[in-house]
């Protein structure tokens, strides 16, 4: 691989359902396979020295899917985080969540909060799960919190600038993504990081997420590095 490793890569992990269907499996089996790929990509991110990996796991629009699939997708984070916690501690991985945590079922919320609090002092790699995340939902929550802080005279209208808005986002404290990768062939933003993606490079692959791997991750980085050389 030539060139520099970016600080923050965000992945829209799309194509799990189609991956399952293609193999005569269920969509949920596709999501399970996707969760195994997620494990590998976290390991790969550590190896290549990435600082922040954001994974789009569940959008605010995904609640409209069939109840069984939603239930499976809400059970996965608890299973994944509880199983992987020792590994995260051993490898100095900090878990963050971007999204409306309060809107999650209680068992999911509990697992998420536990993983965030137990890993809070780790600092080799931040794995930021976008869970119950929607860019518009996030911006509405920012507007509400800013208005409430103005009402409480904590800030004034004159204080509002880009930097201040950043501190009200779910991603407060995290750098903006250098690269946003979308697997699964679609080339749309699907309500992901609407504010934070202002300067991000976008990279698409037809590969369904369960088949995504380190080679493709490095290919994305290399191709984006080449775009920058041409500038
Ligand atoms: C995973 O892929 C994204 C999630 C919402 C978890 P999909 O479930 O959207 O799979 P496709 O796009 O239908 O194949
Ligand atoms: C985007 O994929 C959301 C996640 C990867 C979690 P979707 O499959 O939900 O998005 P659309 O429906 O193609 O816009
Ligand atoms: Mg999809």
């Amino acid at each position: 691989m030539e060139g520099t490793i970016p600080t923050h890569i965000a992945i829209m992990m799309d194509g799990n359902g189609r991956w399952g269907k293609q193999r005569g499996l269920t969509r949920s089996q596709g999501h399970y396979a996707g969760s195994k790929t997620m494990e590998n990509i976290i390991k790969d991110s550590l190896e290549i020295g990435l600082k922040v990996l954001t994974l789009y796991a569940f959008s605010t629009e995904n609640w409209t899917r069939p109840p069984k699939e939603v239930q499976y997708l809400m059970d996965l984070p608890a299973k994944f985080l509880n199983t992987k916690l020792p590994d995260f501690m051993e490898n100095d991985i900090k878990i963050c969540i971007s999204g409306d945590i309060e809107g999650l079922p209680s068992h999911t919320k509990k697992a998420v909060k536990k993983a965030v609090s137990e890993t809070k002092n780790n600092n080799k790699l931040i794995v930021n799960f976008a869970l119950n995340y929607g860019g518009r939902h996030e911006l509405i929550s920012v507007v509400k919190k800013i208005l409430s802080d103005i009402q409480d005279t904590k800030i004034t209208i004159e204080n509002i600038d880009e930097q201040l808005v950043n501190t009200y986002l779910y991603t407060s404290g995290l750098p903006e993504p250098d690269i946003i990768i979308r697997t699964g062939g679609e080339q749309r933003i699907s309500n992901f990081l609407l504010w934070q993606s202002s300067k991000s490079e976008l990279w698409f692959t037809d590969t369904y997420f369960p088949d995504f791997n380190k080679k493709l991750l490095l290919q994305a980085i290399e191709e984006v590095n080449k775009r920058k050389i041409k500038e």
Side-chain angles (χ1 to χ4, degrees):
M1 231 261 337
E2 279 174 46
T4 51
I5 297 295
T7 304
H8 181 179
I9 293 184
I11 306 181
M12 306 174 73
M13 307 183 288
D14 196 24
N16 290 348
R18 281 166 285 161
W19 183 94
K21 198 172 168 211
Q22 198 181 49
R23 281 162 179 72
L25 304 170
T26 61
R27 291 182 58 82
S28 292
Q29 283 171 308
H31 294 311
Y32 178 75
S35 76
K36 291 286 147 196
T37 302
M38 224 160 57
E39 284 185 29
N40 293 335
I41 294 301
I42 293 173
K43 196 161 91 1
D44 299 336
S45 301
L46 266 179
E47 277 169 17
I48 65 174
L50 206 67
K51 284 285 150 207
V52 185
L53 172 70
T54 291
L55 297 168
Y56 201 6
F58 192 91
S59 78
T60 47
E61 286 64 45
N62 290 151
W63 294 109
T64 60
R65 293 190 177 197
K68 268 202 163 157
E69 186 179 352
V70 169
Q71 195 187 341
Y72 190 83
L73 286 169
M74 282 300 135
D75 289 346
L76 258 186
K79 269 191 217 139
F80 185 83
L81 294 171
N82 290 335
T83 319
K84 297 296 289 179
L85 205 50
D87 181 63
F88 296 152
M89 295 311 292
E90 195 178 320
N91 288 298
D92 208 8
I93 294 173
K94 176 175 172 170
I95 301 300
C96 290
I97 304 291
S98 292
D100 181 2
I101 298 180
E102 294 312 312
L104 297 171
S106 58
H107 68 292
T108 316
K109 203 188 322 183
K110 199 171 145 210
V112 155
K113 286 188 172 172
K114 182 169 176 244
V116 169
S117 104
E118 293 202 8
T119 62
K120 70 173 190 294
N121 295 319
N122 296 349
N123 65 11
K124 189 155 184 213
L125 168 72
I126 293 174
V127 178
N128 173 41
F129 288 96
L131 187 61
N132 196 15
Y133 177 87
R136 289 186 173 182
H137 193 280
E138 178 178 42
L139 293 175
I140 288 168
S141 82
V142 168
V143 171
K144 284 186 177 169
K145 281 186 269 178
I146 288 181
L147 285 176
S148 149
D149 281 354
I150 290 176
Q151 236 167 20
D152 296 345
T153 64
K154 288 184 187 152
I155 55 167
T156 65
I157 292 179
E158 287 68 37
N159 292 140
I160 302 173
D161 57 13
E162 285 193 17
Q163 244 182 329
L164 182 106
V165 171
N166 278 330
T167 66
Y168 284 81
L169 295 167
Y170 293 132
T171 52
S172 171
L174 297 180
E176 290 174 7
D178 303 288
I179 307 177
I180 295 179
I181 293 174
R182 181 168 186 153
T183 63
E186 308 298 341
Q187 302 197 349
R188 56 176 169 262
I189 208 73
S190 299
N191 209 9
F192 191 43
L193 302 178
L194 297 183
W195 171 281
Q196 300 86 338
S197 61
S198 160
K199 288 172 277 179
S200 307
E201 292 285 340
L202 307 180
W203 192 85
F204 302 102
T205 172
D206 287 339
T207 303
Y208 295 146
F209 186 70
D211 290 330
F212 189 70
N213 55 29
K214 188 177 185 182
K215 188 164 170 264
L216 287 166
L217 182 67
L218 293 175
Q219 189 184 328
I221 296 171
E222 202 159 350
E223 284 181 18
V224 167
N225 283 343
K226 279 190 193 141
R227 289 181 198 166
K228 300 218 156 143
I229 292 165
K230 282 190 204 133
E231 271 172 9

